[in-house]
Amino acid sequence: MRYAIELAARGLGRVEPNPTVGAVLADEHLNLLGAGYHERFGGPHAEVNALSDFVDRFEDSGVRQELLANATLYVTLEPCCHYGKTPPCSEAVIGAGVRRVSVGLIDPSPHVAGGGIQQLKKAGIDVSSGLAEEAIRELNAPFLKLLRTGLPWVHVKWAMTLDGKIATRTGASKWISSEVSRQRVHLLRGRMDAIIVGAGTARSDDPLLTVRGLGPRTPTRVVIDSKATLSLDSQLVRTVDDAPVLLAVCESAPAERVDQLRALGVEVIVVGPADGRVDLMMLMQELGRRSMTNLLIEGGGELFGAAFDDGLVDEAHIFVAPKFAGGAGGVTPVGGVGVALIPEGSQLQGQVVEQVGDDVYIRGRLR
Ligand SMILES: NC(=O)c1ccc[n+]([C@@H]2O[C@H](COP(=O)([O-])OP(=O)(O)OC[C@H]3O[C@@H](n4cnc5c(N)ncnc54)[C@H](OP(=O)(O)O)[C@@H]3O)[C@@H](O)[C@H]2O)c1
């Protein structure tokens, strides 16, 4: 099952809004007979890939039947039992003559929810479930969150100096982290459905927010911009044909400006009251409705602050560069209101600390 999880992880960024799934067929001594994973959205599921790998390895059907007598199919997620983009995996498993199946996690999707296991059992297959369930839940946390709450999984990423600044007192932030760290950011971006920045960052940095090199996804670039101030000449607008740009505005955004941006290909949505700011929760709900599974907020301090204050952040990616910016007027990563006492604040769990070039990359999930 551990190997099946490892295989499943290769689908990260490629299969969403589907879950990542891995499958391994092994004999009673845990010798590998076949393995596969769900490689891309719309493509064959893990079980089908593992079973076809089994056929490739053992071409003689007599040999296969003999091997199956003592084999178990380890699959990280319950086999599906419905016709979606591909036929049901439960039928493929039954048809192949598998006798034993170990399922990691029961698929909570309403169209499966135990139905796949029931079908297997009805066909006389010995099925157990729950092996390594926690690790599978962790790997599929974004998928599970979207299913449970309708909200995407929110990552935050920033680069800061050793004295905790994401920009100097003049607003300059180029470049705090090293080139290798920035390459890592592009890898991260490449598996996101959207990259989000605040109007302040759009104004001061004129960012491009595209993925350098080819990632598995082309994230939509989102700007949180109550009054639709995004420059018509910004890099974002000029590259709207390369990757979509979505502007989240308030009802009070000037209609003429909104029309100009729309005419240039920017999608503008109203997710905030006339007298206030963009409602981040409303925006998250809208992006969730679009089946966006992973979002990356890239700044700046005010937007990070609002996201933390609203409890929206699930995972953090922080690059710390061995530099000092100083200045009480420098931008700190997380603005907003914050907490009054340290125990009230969020905490990273299961953090990974990695040296990347001269920088330190800290990542983890929030609790
Ligand atoms: N080092 C890094 O990793 C990094 C990353 C990104 C940015 N930066 C730096 O950060 C600085 C910009 O940060 P910033 O704090 O000034 O601006 P910001 O967070 O990028 O943008 C804040 C603006 O977003 C708009 N907004 C609308 N609704 C909001 C809501 N619900 N919550 C929060 N903001 C909302 C507001 O403008 P409206 O009222 O006009 O809508 C607000 O002023 C720049 O100097 C940039 O270089 C550094």
Side-chain angles (χ1 to χ4, degrees), residues 159 166-167 171 173 199-201 204-205 226-227 277-278 298 300-303 306:
I166 60 164
S173 60
T201 297
S204 72
D205 294 5
S226 315
K227 301 175 211 70
R277 285 186 142 188
V278 168
E298 289 212 27
E302 213 175 323
L303 181 59

Side-chain angles (χ1 to χ4, degrees), residues 157-160 165-168 170-173 176 197-205 224-227 229 277-280 298-304 306 310 331:
K157 167 256 140 189
W158 64 74
M160 69 179 193
K165 310 284 184 197
I166 60 164
T168 66
T170 64
S173 60
I176 290 175
V197 295
T201 297
R203 273 191 293 269
S204 72
D205 294 5
I224 314 283
D225 186 7
S226 315
K227 301 175 211 70
T229 62
R277 285 186 142 188
V278 168
D279 184 329
L280 295 181
E298 289 212 27
E302 213 175 323
L303 181 59
F304 286 137
D310 291 356
V331 186

Side-chain angles (χ1 to χ4, degrees), residues 250-309:
C250 289
E251 280 168 26
S252 50
E256 193 191 343
R257 181 68 172 189
V258 167
D259 289 346
Q260 285 172 327
L261 285 159
R262 281 189 175 142
L264 290 169
V266 174
E267 184 185 357
V268 183
I269 57 167
V270 178
V271 277
D275 57 347
R277 285 186 142 188
V278 168
D279 184 329
L280 295 181
M281 181 51 96
M282 222 168 132
L283 174 67
M284 294 300 142
Q285 284 163 343
E286 173 55 27
L287 299 182
R289 263 193 296 278
R290 297 177 185 210
S291 298
M292 289 193 177
T293 313
N294 286 285
L295 311 179
L296 178 64
I297 302 183
E298 289 212 27
E302 213 175 323
L303 181 59
F304 286 137
F308 272 87
D309 285 344

